[in-house]
Amino acid sequence: MVDLTVDEWTQEEFLRNKKELEALGVKVLLIDTILNPIDGAETTLYAPPILKNEPEGSVFVFYCDSGKSSKERLKEFRAKFPKQVCISLQGGRGYWRKNFRI
C-alpha cells in the first residue's frame, strides 16, 4: 500500500507508487516548478489555476533542481491544493536517472 502521508518520494518510490496508484484509478503528476522538464519523464508545468482542476485525490509530486526548494514549499503547495496529495521528489531533477525503470 502506498503511503501518501510522507513529504518525499525517491525516484524509485515515485515510479512504483505511480504504477500502483494509476492501476487504482488515481492520477499521479510529476510537477515541474523550475521550467526544466526531466528527460524521459512525463512532467506537468506548475500552473495553479490548471492544477486545481485535477481530480480530488490526485497526487502531485513537485520537483526543483535539488529537491530542497520543493520540499520547503510543501506547506504552501498543500494549502494551495487541499483536495490533492502533495509530495516532493527527493533530490529533485539532479538525482533523476533517466534510464531507470520499474
Side-chain angles (χ1 to χ4, degrees), residues 52-65:
K52 286 184 179 191
N53 294 325
E54 292 296 338
E56 186 171 333
S58 294
V59 178
F60 295 166
V61 181
F62 296 91
Y63 75 88
C64 60
D65 282 321

Side-chain angles (χ1 to χ4, degrees), residues 11-39:
Q11 178 184 359
E12 181 176 356
E13 289 169 325
F14 168 76
L15 294 171
R16 282 188 200 288
N17 293 341
K18 178 178 171 70
K19 190 179 219 179
E20 185 176 332
L21 290 168
E22 288 185 344
L24 299 171
V26 177
K27 194 169 184 179
V28 179
L29 299 172
L30 186 58
I31 310 294
D32 176 356
T33 65
I34 54 173
L35 300 175
N36 198 352
I38 295 175
D39 291 336

